[in-house]
Amino acid sequence: EAGVTQSPTHLIKTRGQQVTLRCSPISGHTSVYWYQQALGLGLQFLLWYDEGEERNRGNFPPRFSGRQFPNYSSELNVNALELEDSALYLCASSQTGEETQYFGPGTRLLVL
Amino acid sequence: KNEVEQSPQNLTAQEGEFITINCSYSVGISALHWLQQHPGGGIVSLFMLSSGKKKHGRLIATINIQEKHSSLHITASHPRDSAVYICAVLRGSQGNLIFGKGTKLSVKP
């Protein structure tokens, strides 16, 4: 069974640009979580989607947004990129009601 | 004060040593995860605990809900155990994990 997949693996953008990151959950999982791990900082929660709806949001500005599609895959969009957005972005998935989250390999974003 | 505190922050051990990493949390939780992150960045979930103790190979995880404390033990440590170990708690209705800052473990041959 395939695990959580993310694309792209690496990305370089410049300040002010916009970026879209993608995540495909494990088959049968309906919840998708997005986390950010900035250099030197711990993991922080960004967004939680379940059954196509945003269920919870971390303490990030509105230029971080996303959506979940009917097939439960998800996109994370970041507008007006800033240097401090450089980070590893991790996606995780779980079955509704299950507490174990399975992580994807991450997308490493560098903002110049 | 962080809601999830880990200690130590860094740990260096000789191959074969018994290792303990501690995690304390200050919020009500529905479950606690121990995660392993290798230098490439990928994260693997080692354990998910809501009570008691779990064992997987050389790894043992325990949790004391009353004391809001969990420990991860590695027996007979090996250089391939070198990684960052992260404690994360799940606050049930909120869905998301809250993470400790991680413990960087280096096991020397």
Side-chain angles (χ1 to χ4, degrees):
Chain A
E1 181 184 291
V4 178
T5 60
Q6 291 185 245
S7 63
T9 55
H10 294 83
L11 204 50
I12 300 174
K13 291 285 188 178
T14 56
R15 283 177 59 191
Q17 284 189 311
Q18 178 264 342
V19 69
T20 297
L21 310 182
R22 294 176 176 83
C23 172
S24 290
I26 291 172
S27 177
H29 288 192
T30 59
S31 277
V32 171
Y33 310 83
W34 288 96
Y35 298 99
Q36 182 200 62
Q37 187 176 40
L39 190 63
L41 298 178
L43 283 151
Q44 295 185 78
F45 166 69
L46 267 165
L47 290 159
W48 171 30
Y49 291 96
D50 181 61
E51 298 282 359
E53 293 193 16
E54 182 180 304
R55 301 294 186 182
N56 196 10
R57 180 183 182 86
N59 188 25
F60 281 83
R63 57 191 185 82
F64 287 83
S65 65
R67 55 180 173 167
Q68 187 178 33
F69 298 98
N71 67 353
Y72 304 115
S73 66
S74 176
E75 284 182 352
L76 173 68
N77 299 294
V78 187
N79 293 321
L81 283 166
E82 299 179 4
L83 297 179
E84 54 264 33
D85 297 333
S86 296
L88 177 68
Y89 289 85
L90 288 157
C91 170
S93 74
S94 72
Q95 291 182 319
T96 301
E98 292 293 320
E99 292 167 332
T100 302
Q101 297 184 17
Y102 298 84
F103 286 81
T107 292
R108 199 168 291 278
L109 172 65
L110 178 62
V111 182
L112 301 175
Chain B
K1 190 179 188 300
N2 293 327
E3 292 171 299
V4 182
E5 298 275 2
Q6 280 186 242
S7 63
Q9 192 173 351
N10 292 282
L11 183 55
T12 300
Q14 286 299 126
E15 183 173 356
E17 284 185 2
F18 180 84
I19 288 162
T20 295
I21 300 170
N22 294 300
C23 174
S24 296
Y25 52 93
S26 57
V27 296
I29 69 169
S30 58
L32 181 145
H33 289 247
W34 280 103
L35 310 170
Q36 181 192 57
Q37 186 173 32
H38 281 283
I43 289 182
V44 174
S45 180
L46 298 174
F47 295 103
M48 194 274 291
L49 293 159
S50 53
S51 65
K53 176 179 174 178
K54 286 189 176 180
K55 184 175 189 292
H56 185 234
R58 296 179 295 106
L59 273 60
I60 303 166
T62 63
I63 188 168
N64 185 318
I65 296 294
Q66 287 72 31
E67 295 186 4
K68 294 187 175 180
H69 181 269
S70 176
S71 293
L72 175 68
H73 306 285
I74 305 175
T75 62
S77 59
H78 190 277
R80 64 175 175 266
D81 297 326
S82 298
V84 176
Y85 292 83
I86 302 168
C87 171
V89 300
L90 182 67
R91 302 186 67 180
S93 62
Q94 295 184 13
N96 56 286
L97 292 169
I98 303 170
F99 300 87
K101 293 192 182 299
T103 295
K104 185 174 182 180
L105 171 66
S106 178
V107 181
K108 306 292 186 188

